[in-house]
Amino acid sequence: MSDKKKKPQKLKARLPRGFGDRSAADIRATEEMVAKIKAVYENYGFDPVETPMFEYTDALGKFLPDSDRPNEGVFSLQDDDDQWMSLRYDLTAPLARHVAENLNDIQLPYRTYRAGYVFRNEKPGPGRFRQFMQFDADVVGAPGVQTDAEMCMMMADTMEALGIARGDYVIRVNNRKVLDGVLEAIGLGGEENAAQRLTVLRAIDKLDKFGVEGVRLLLGEGRKDESGDFTKGAGLSEPQIEALFCMFDFRLTIETDRHGAEVSDLTGRFPAGFPNVLDIELLYDGLSELARMKRIFEVAGYGPDRIKIDPSVVRGLEYYTGPVYEAELLFDVTNEKGEKVVFGSVGGGGRYDGLVSRFMGQPVPATGFSIGVSRLMTALKNLGKLGASEVIEPVLVTVMDGDAEAMGRYQKMTQELRREGIRAEMYQGNWKKFGNQLKYADRRGCPIAIIQGGDERAEGVVQIKDLIEGKRLSGEIEDNAEWREARVAQKTVPEGDLVAEVRAMLAAQAEDRQRGG
């Protein structure tokens, strides 16, 4: 038997499925977009708040499948008190907990926004991740639908602040009381049918993704996707499914005058054997709320080209209790299969009057919406609306001598540039091979290199090399002799002129970029 020790196995570097690293370009694009969204929210009088990524599992909402061992839909663990905690599924349920816990210190109505990552323990796929960023805005303590109407207007203003033109987006609005009334009419009312109602809601919410036939399958026995995975359906009968689809054919006619608004007509009726929809009080209440919101939009100058009533809007979570709304982008993009498709929803929300009340034992009205930051960023890239703000790579101060005194001088130059607002770095690799420093600068995209050897230091000068111009000129030089003679795009200046010369060279490069388009 060999006494040789087994060589330890090398650890394989791999990402967990459904998660992704972000590049510097993506991070900067996200920050640019979030800053524009934040400016709109602040303009509407909203203030920031932050909640942790973990919450006790029972605080996250009714959609959790198993409170004894939550392992579907959320990522969960037990703390040292054997209590289940979960990574937040959205930003709304944690806000409800925050408000309930701090109600005595909060001024109602409470207008707040927050951005952060949320986590879904679901099957990942193309463009579908288990960790993604949302940006929410909410109002807690305001019961009237005028608040929901204002949220819709803020969503519209946010789209335009991001550079999305009218005609390329629409905010679609419905009311869950309408849908809940329809579900009641087809026999799905009552607490005993809560789980089945949630399955129905989630199925209808996928109308834009799977189309009518796919949703019909999800409402019935179930649907098999392209990979062969089967999703169990809601188990509705064919008449129940037909009655649900009648909802999408409703056409609301609203009479308005200076005294308000009321529903005057609703075309579209259920199949035989179901109640008349206008006899269902909950449904009629929902239609009346939509009528009031429509009037507010009209008077405030937000026409149907920006915000429109649409009975097909559902929103899949069960905690919505009134108006629901969705921001949809209307332009075409090319998907991973090369097909032209409408981009679709980038955010939405609604009224959730019961969520805070779960902690309080008293009514606490609330409404809010969430923007999918990653998805919206993809849309803005398609429109060419992101990355316009230019990020210049750092000026590189090269290193010719490795003793401490020399290193201090190179660092002093670097700091002088930084103090004047010029992005700069001193080379930190193996300084003994100068050619590697210039290769590093080229790969990094550095615009300028600063060079000072012993001879330059003795004369009190530095060499400043324009790497952008040098790269262009190098294509026009045919031999080494010509290269040495030209000393391509390089100038020698007194040490005291370093900052001014670098600034002038960067300005000239910026002008060249502008001329080149």
Side-chain angles (χ1 to χ4, degrees):
M1 183 180 293
S2 173
D3 291 332
K4 288 184 179 178
K5 290 183 179 179
K6 285 188 177 180
K7 192 175 180 181
Q9 208 165 16
K10 187 167 65 174
L11 185 64
K12 184 178 179 181
R14 65 199 191 281
L15 265 173
R17 284 193 317 127
F19 295 85
D21 297 324
R22 295 198 303 153
S23 68
D26 281 344
I27 292 168
R28 289 186 178 119
T30 301
E31 289 173 347
E32 178 187 341
M33 185 179 76
V34 165
K36 291 176 180 177
I37 298 172
K38 177 183 172 183
V40 177
Y41 293 0
E42 291 272 357
N43 195 40
Y44 270 72
F46 285 71
D47 293 314
V49 72
E50 185 173 282
T51 60
M53 291 188 184
F54 270 97
E55 295 281 344
Y56 283 120
T57 301
D58 59 7
L60 290 183
K62 296 180 180 178
F63 54 84
L64 295 176
D66 181 358
S67 59
D68 294 327
R69 178 64 177 90
N71 58 2
E72 183 182 336
V74 295
F75 293 98
S76 302
L77 55 84
Q78 281 182 295
D79 67 7
D80 54 5
D81 291 329
D82 294 328
Q83 295 192 66
W84 280 104
M85 301 191 303
S86 298
L87 283 170
R88 60 193 179 199
Y89 187 91
D90 62 12
L91 299 177
T92 308
L95 176 69
R97 187 272 310 153
H98 170 77
V99 170
E101 198 169 10
N102 299 280
L103 194 62
N104 291 335
D105 301 319
I106 287 174
Q107 175 64 50
L108 297 180
Y110 182 44
R111 299 164 70 84
T112 181
Y113 68 83
R114 61 226 167 276
Y117 284 107
V118 298
F119 302 85
R120 306 283 168 92
N121 188 7
E122 297 170 351
K123 182 182 176 183
R128 184 181 181 87
F129 292 92
R130 287 172 163 169
Q131 174 185 320
F132 52 93
M133 185 180 287
Q134 291 183 336
F135 201 153
D136 286 19
D138 294 81
V139 180
V140 180
V145 293
Q146 70 272 11
T147 308
D148 303 278
E150 186 185 56
M151 298 300 275
C152 295
M153 292 186 281
M154 189 163 78
M155 286 184 82
D157 288 351
T158 299
M159 296 298 107
E160 295 192 9
L162 291 167
I164 302 170
R166 291 185 196 182
D168 281 342
Y169 77 90
V170 67
I171 311 303
R172 301 187 299 129
V173 186
N174 194 15
N175 195 301
R176 282 291 280 270
K177 292 177 182 177
V178 174
L179 179 57
D180 289 343
V182 173
L183 292 174
E184 182 183 318
I186 66 172
L188 292 184
E191 191 60 34
E192 67 277 10
N193 292 310
Q196 192 176 14
R197 280 200 306 274
L198 181 56
T199 305
V200 169
L201 295 175
R202 286 177 168 167
I204 298 174
D205 200 26
K206 291 181 171 60
L207 192 63
D208 60 340
K209 183 178 181 181
F210 296 144
V212 171
E213 290 309 311
V215 170
R216 280 184 177 275
L217 292 172
L218 289 173
L219 291 172
E221 293 304 311
R223 177 183 178 273
K224 186 181 289 188
D225 65 19
E226 294 173 356
S227 69
D229 285 353
F230 182 77
T231 302
K232 187 179 178 182
L236 300 187
S237 67
E238 193 58 34
Q240 286 176 311
I241 294 172
E242 288 301 322
L244 271 178
F245 273 91
C246 281
M247 178 185 63
F248 304 139
D249 294 327
F250 290 169
R251 293 296 178 265
L252 188 63
T253 303
I254 300 170
E255 297 294 339
T256 59
D257 57 30
R258 73 178 69 180
H259 303 297
E262 64 176 25
V263 180
S264 65
D265 183 47
L266 180 68
T267 60
R269 294 292 183 267
F270 281 179
F274 292 101
N276 186 318
V277 293
L278 292 182
D279 292 336
I280 301 168
E281 184 177 355
L282 184 64
L283 189 152
Y284 197 86
D285 285 346
L287 295 175
S288 298
E289 290 180 359
L290 285 175
R292 291 199 294 276
M293 290 178 71
K294 185 172 185 289
R295 181 58 175 157
I296 291 169
F297 298 144
E298 290 170 350
V299 175
Y302 288 74
D305 60 330
R306 303 183 72 189
I307 306 174
K308 72 175 183 180
I309 307 299
D310 186 342
S312 69
V313 178
V314 173
R315 306 300 300 163
L317 292 176
E318 192 177 15
Y319 55 57
Y320 291 123
T321 57
V324 287
Y325 28 91
E326 199 157 69
E328 183 177 347
L329 302 187
L330 305 176
F331 55 85
D332 291 343
V333 295
T334 303
N335 66 13
E336 59 270 10
K337 298 178 183 177
E339 303 164 332
K340 287 281 187 183
V341 295
V342 174
F343 197 91
S345 175
V346 292
R351 180 159 288 277
Y352 53 95
D353 286 351
L355 203 55
V356 181
S357 304
R358 293 188 308 128
F359 301 96
M360 303 296 297
Q362 65 187 58
V364 183
T367 187
F369 69 82
S370 177
I371 289 176
V373 171
S374 302
R375 183 167 172 77
L376 183 53
M377 188 171 73
T378 301
L380 294 175
K381 283 181 177 178
N382 272 275
L383 285 175
K385 299 293 184 183
L386 272 187
S389 58
E390 194 174 35
V391 176
I392 305 299
E393 295 302 330
V395 171
L396 181 69
V397 176
T398 61
V399 174
M400 306 292 284
D401 300 296
D403 62 273
E405 185 178 344
M407 289 289 186
R409 284 194 298 268
Y410 295 131
Q411 193 67 67
K412 181 183 177 185
M413 291 182 205
T414 310
Q415 294 300 103
E416 286 174 358
L417 292 167
R418 289 169 178 165
R419 277 194 293 270
E420 295 300 317
I422 297 170
R423 197 169 178 223
E425 67 171 274
M426 185 181 91
Y427 185 71
Q428 300 291 347
N430 182 359
W431 61 272
K432 293 181 180 180
K433 294 184 178 179
F434 185 72
N436 287 349
Q437 298 190 49
L438 294 183
K439 284 180 185 176
Y440 171 82
D442 182 56
R443 290 169 184 162
R444 183 92 157 86
C446 296
I448 294 171
I450 309 299
I451 304 166
Q452 188 189 61
D455 293 343
E456 289 88 1
R457 186 164 59 255
E459 296 177 26
V461 299
V462 293
Q463 292 182 31
I464 304 176
K465 189 175 183 66
D466 185 334
L467 299 176
I468 306 299
E469 180 70 359
K471 187 180 290 187
R472 184 185 70 79
L473 291 175
S474 65
E476 302 173 5
I477 293 176
E478 296 181 355
D479 57 41
N480 288 338
E482 193 177 351
W483 176 276
R484 283 193 299 273
E485 187 177 335
R487 291 183 63 80
V488 177
Q490 187 167 306
K491 64 193 302 186
T492 301
V493 303
E495 285 184 4
D497 294 342
L498 171 66
V499 172
E501 289 292 341
V502 168
R503 192 184 299 284
M505 198 173 282
L506 289 172
Q509 291 176 355
E511 192 175 327
D512 286 345
R513 283 193 300 274
Q514 195 170 11
R515 279 200 302 266

